[in-house]
């Protein structure tokens, strides 16, 4: 198969931990031909086209890829195209998904489905599954945020377009900086944010549970906050510890699996803290390398198997 990956600039990827690179390496092991391009290289002129770069991929992290050739190609030329560009989900990302939807209508196979990338905002998507979430409010109204803080005493405030733990604040009812935090987060009532009741189990880790083509991985990665932090994200200094998936985590993931598969979401990373679903990551879910290195479970290989099976 010819499998294309839409990624951020190749030179900036970290091959020792990047899940997209891990998937490329697994695809090569199974005899597939790998191509890569950036979202900005796509354009439409009768068909959705791109300048695609055929890669030779190795296990050497210091020099992990070689570009064998670069060609102008239609997205329908590939057997599958994996959208793996990192957030932020900004206007350019939106335009890219619209081009991918057009390519899909022309016969290209896009993973994850572009329409679902648009519909599943990684923060707001949990509202589709409210029975699994802690008390949550989405609003731009500062008075409503303050009322939520008063009701629950200890809350997390998140911007809707953040990633890697950025723009996340813990606020208590007695916090001296409470007014300033609410003002900054909502941009004085002009930006919509999410407020969630604080989940103390974050001390034991923010679990990343991967769901591949509707099936739940056997291990999760607990991202444990460093001392003095409330964020477990690895990008925010958290420590990743792989562990067998817990009963409640499996319950949540198996309940969501059929819906995610129906909506064309082949690669999904659920974030679960304690008993609660906190995010549904669909753009470029990570943690596959850490889970493989600590447990031997090869989730990247499961992705390639799902791509091949269709």
């Amino acid at each position: 198969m010819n499998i294309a990956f839409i990624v951020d600039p190749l030179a900036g990827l970290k091959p020792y931990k990047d899940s997209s690179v891990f998937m490329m390496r697994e695809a090569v092991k199974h005899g597939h031909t790998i191509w890569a391009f950036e979202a900005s290289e796509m354009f439409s002129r009768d068909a959705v086209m791109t300048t695609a770069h055929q890669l030779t991929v190795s296990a050497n992290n210091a020099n992990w890829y070689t570009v064998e050739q670069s060609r102008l190609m239609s997205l329908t030329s590939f057997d599958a195209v994996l959208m793996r560009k990192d957030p932020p989900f900004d206007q350019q990302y939106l335009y890219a998904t619209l081009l991918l939807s057009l390519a899909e209508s022309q016969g290209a196979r896009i993973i994850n489905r572009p329409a679902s990338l648009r519909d599943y905002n990684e923060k707001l998507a949990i509202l589709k599954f409210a029975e699994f979430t802690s008390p949550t409010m989405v609003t731009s109204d500062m008075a409503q945020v303050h009322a939520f803080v008063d009701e629950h005493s200890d809350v997390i405030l998140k911007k809707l377009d953040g990633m890697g733990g950025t723009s996340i604040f813990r606020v208590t009812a007695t916090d001296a900086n409470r007014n300033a935090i609410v003002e900054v987060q909502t941009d004085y009532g002009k930006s919509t944010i999410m407020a969630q009741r604080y989940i103390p189990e974050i001390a034991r880790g923010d679990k990343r549970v991967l769901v591949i083509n509707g099936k739940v991985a056997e291990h999760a990665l607990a991202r444990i906050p460093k001392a003095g932090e409330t964020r477990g994200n690895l990008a925010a200094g958290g420590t990743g510890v792989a562990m067998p998936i817990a009963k409640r985590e499996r319950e949540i993931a198996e309940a969501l699996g059929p819906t995610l598969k129906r909506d064309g979401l082949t690669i999904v990373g659920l974030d679960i803290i304690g008993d609660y679903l906190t995010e549904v990551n669909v753009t470029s879910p990570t943690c596959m390398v850490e889970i493989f290195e600590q447990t031997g479970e090869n989730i990247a290989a499961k992705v390639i198997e799902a791509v091949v099976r269709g």
Side-chain angles (χ1 to χ4, degrees):
M1 292 180 70
N2 282 301
I3 303 175
F5 289 77
I6 304 174
V7 289
D8 290 309
L10 291 168
L13 300 183
K14 296 179 174 63
Y16 64 92
K17 70 171 185 176
D18 190 281
S19 292
S20 296
V21 174
F22 190 13
M23 285 185 267
M24 291 181 193
R25 286 169 167 165
E26 284 302 313
V28 169
K29 285 182 184 178
H30 289 83
H32 304 297
T33 301
I34 297 304
W35 302 77
F37 57 91
E38 296 177 39
S40 60
E41 294 179 286
M42 290 191 297
F43 66 95
S44 178
R45 188 170 181 177
D46 299 324
V48 179
M49 309 285 292
T50 189
T51 300
H53 313 283
Q54 184 184 350
L55 305 183
T56 296
V57 178
S58 76
N60 179 2
N61 287 333
N63 186 23
W64 68 271
Y65 74 93
T66 302
V67 177
E68 296 296 331
Q69 61 168 323
S70 298
R71 290 172 50 193
L72 190 62
M73 301 175 71
S74 165
L75 267 62
T76 57
S77 301
F78 305 108
D79 297 293
V81 178
L82 277 64
M83 176 52 155
R84 294 287 302 176
K85 178 179 171 16
D86 280 342
F89 198 114
D90 54 15
Q91 201 70 19
Q92 288 303 120
Y93 198 111
L94 173 64
Y95 294 151
T97 68
L98 293 171
L99 281 176
L100 290 172
S101 285
L102 178 59
E104 191 176 49
S105 73
Q106 295 166 350
R109 182 179 171 214
I110 312 296
I111 300 170
N112 288 323
R113 182 179 296 159
S116 290
L117 290 176
R118 295 191 294 274
D119 290 345
Y120 276 74
N121 173 278
E122 298 191 331
K123 305 293 190 296
L124 293 178
I126 65 169
L127 302 180
K128 299 174 184 282
F129 312 104
E131 66 270 32
F132 299 117
T133 65
S134 67
T136 299
M137 169 177 277
V138 176
T139 184
S140 60
D141 188 298
M142 290 191 291
Q144 290 188 9
V145 176
H146 282 295
F148 189 87
V149 175
D150 288 334
E151 179 182 358
H152 296 288
S153 300
D154 195 352
V155 306
I156 295 293
L157 302 182
K158 304 178 182 180
K159 292 193 174 183
L160 299 182
D161 59 355
M163 65 167 289
T166 60
S167 302
I168 293 177
F169 286 86
R170 180 182 178 185
V171 182
T172 64
T174 58
D175 195 322
N177 295 311
R178 170 177 162 178
N179 287 335
I181 291 171
V182 173
E183 289 165 1
V184 169
Q185 287 291 84
T186 65
D187 191 16
Y188 291 89
K190 292 182 285 189
S191 296
T192 303
I193 66 169
M194 174 174 283
Q196 289 180 311
R197 187 179 67 191
Y198 176 70
I199 306 170
E201 289 83 357
I202 183 62
R204 298 199 296 270
D206 179 354
K207 301 282 192 70
R208 169 58 56 84
V209 177
L210 288 155
V211 182
I212 307 302
N213 204 29
K215 295 182 179 180
V216 185
E218 293 302 315
H219 294 85
L221 190 75
R223 288 142 328 151
I224 300 171
K226 64 183 180 181
E229 259 286 2
T230 58
R231 301 171 299 169
N233 308 73
L234 301 183
T239 300
V241 179
M243 55 186 65
I245 188 169
K247 180 180 178 181
R248 176 60 171 171
E249 294 155 9
R250 183 178 297 280
E251 178 186 351
I252 294 172
E254 288 184 347
L256 269 60
T259 299
L260 300 173
K261 183 176 180 179
R262 180 201 69 195
D263 290 344
L265 293 167
T266 301
I267 312 168
V268 178
L270 305 179
D271 288 351
I272 299 174
I273 301 175
D275 290 336
Y276 300 105
L277 176 70
T278 60
E279 289 190 17
V280 181
N281 295 273
V282 300
T283 50
S284 57
T286 60
C287 300
M288 296 181 192
V289 174
E290 293 88 347
I291 290 172
F292 174 70
E293 289 179 343
Q294 295 181 42
T295 73
E297 183 179 10
N298 193 332
I299 298 171
K302 295 177 182 180
V303 172
I304 300 305
E305 181 182 356
V307 171
V308 171
R309 288 186 175 183

